[in-house]
Amino acid sequence: MDKQDMISQDIDQMKIGEQITIKPQNKILLIGDSITDVNRNRNDDQDLGQGYPLLLGAYLLNKYPTYDLQILNRGIGGDRVADLKNRWEEDCLELNPEIVSILVGVNDVWYGMGDEETLDEAALEQFEADYRWLLKMLAHRTDARVVLMEPYVLPYPKDRIHWRKHLDPRIQIVRHLANEYHAALVPLDGILNTLGIENGFQTYTGDDGVHPTLTGHAAIAEAWIHYLDV
């Protein structure tokens, strides 16, 4: 078994929740922070930016040309889970999407690394409470099928290794919530770190360990597609 087969096997082993299928007239919402945003035009509701939402949207529209799909990007750079909560009504619930894909969490750690005392147990509990609120509102207000994508960090530059003690518990929360709410889980942290070990971390997240290169965005889109088997 080669390394790519091992990566695919790892993804398969972490599949959680009911199978999500693409149906005609589906509205698919991709929401999160700068990893999703990627310079999208905020004055154009249909603009997908220049990252994985664009690649994913192109793939889905090409594969299902008669489905009249609507792909929406509502990423905003710098957002934490609490920021998503503050705009959840306008940027998610009012859109009434059939599929919601969430990628958020790394900024909850990044913002606190200058003062790690703010990354205490209370902050972790608030992270979980806010994330659970997002999913609870989706369940109560919509019939949306949900995809949760793990927050991630790659160990380049080297100081990013110190983020792990704060990010890992948040990744575990996302996994737990995916199970609790029967959501699909895309284990990005493991996928991207495995690829980085093989091909170099900078290949996927450049010089900061977080923001994807074009190759990184392609890897995220591919993982989403592979997991959902769409």
Side-chain angles (χ1 to χ4, degrees):
M1 181 182 297
D2 63 23
K3 290 182 180 179
Q4 189 58 49
D5 288 337
M6 292 175 66
I7 293 168
S8 296
Q9 184 182 64
D10 287 343
I11 296 171
D12 291 335
Q13 289 173 348
M14 296 191 71
K15 289 186 177 181
I16 293 176
E18 298 178 0
Q19 180 68 40
I20 293 179
T21 57
I22 306 297
K23 300 178 181 179
Q25 283 79 52
N26 271 179
K27 182 184 293 181
I28 301 169
L29 174 65
L30 307 167
I31 192 165
D33 51 34
S34 59
I35 299 168
T36 302
D37 185 347
V38 199
N39 300 316
R40 70 179 176 91
N41 182 356
R42 309 286 174 79
N43 297 316
D44 180 358
D45 287 343
Q46 304 302 312
D47 186 62
L48 291 175
Q50 300 171 18
Y52 81 85
L54 179 63
L55 301 176
L56 182 56
Y59 170 85
L60 293 174
L61 293 171
N62 180 62
K63 183 166 183 179
Y64 303 100
T66 65
Y67 275 27
D68 192 27
L69 299 176
Q70 187 176 8
I71 319 293
L72 300 175
N73 181 344
R74 291 297 184 271
I76 292 183
D79 266 12
R80 297 163 291 184
V81 172
D83 299 306
L84 257 63
K85 182 179 179 180
N86 290 336
R87 61 186 180 91
W88 205 235
E89 181 71 30
E90 179 180 359
D91 283 352
C92 181
L93 300 177
E94 289 182 4
L95 297 174
N96 195 29
E98 281 74 35
I99 297 174
V100 178
S101 180
I102 305 170
L103 173 53
V104 72
V106 71
N107 287 323
D108 290 81
V109 172
W110 199 336
Y111 286 12
M113 288 309 297
D115 182 8
E116 292 191 52
E117 290 184 2
T118 64
L119 297 172
D120 56 10
E121 190 65 27
L124 189 63
E125 291 174 359
Q126 190 62 52
F127 176 90
E128 181 171 4
D130 287 343
Y131 210 130
R132 177 175 278 106
W133 185 91
L134 302 180
L135 301 178
K136 186 179 295 185
M137 289 301 102
L138 276 174
H140 287 175
R141 298 272 301 278
T142 78
D143 294 320
R145 293 156 286 162
V146 181
V147 182
L148 302 187
M149 306 177 80
E150 288 179 355
Y152 64 85
V153 67
L154 273 60
Y156 184 91
K158 291 182 179 180
D159 69 340
R160 296 303 188 254
I161 196 68
H162 301 300
W163 294 23
R164 296 241 58 110
K165 66 178 179 180
H166 300 298
L167 187 64
D168 285 352
R170 288 163 173 80
I171 292 172
Q172 292 301 321
I173 286 170
V174 172
R175 292 174 179 174
H176 172 75
L177 291 174
N179 185 54
E180 181 178 339
Y181 283 88
H182 305 288
L185 175 68
V186 181
L188 282 185
D189 187 62
I191 293 167
L192 293 176
N193 273 280
T194 300
L195 289 170
I197 290 168
E198 181 176 3
N199 301 310
F201 299 113
Q202 288 176 280
T203 302
Y204 298 95
T205 52
D207 293 331
D208 69 10
V210 173
H211 293 100
T213 61
L214 181 58
T215 305
H217 280 291
I220 292 171
E222 182 177 10
W224 200 98
I225 292 163
H226 174 85
Y227 173 75
L228 274 77
D229 194 23
V230 295

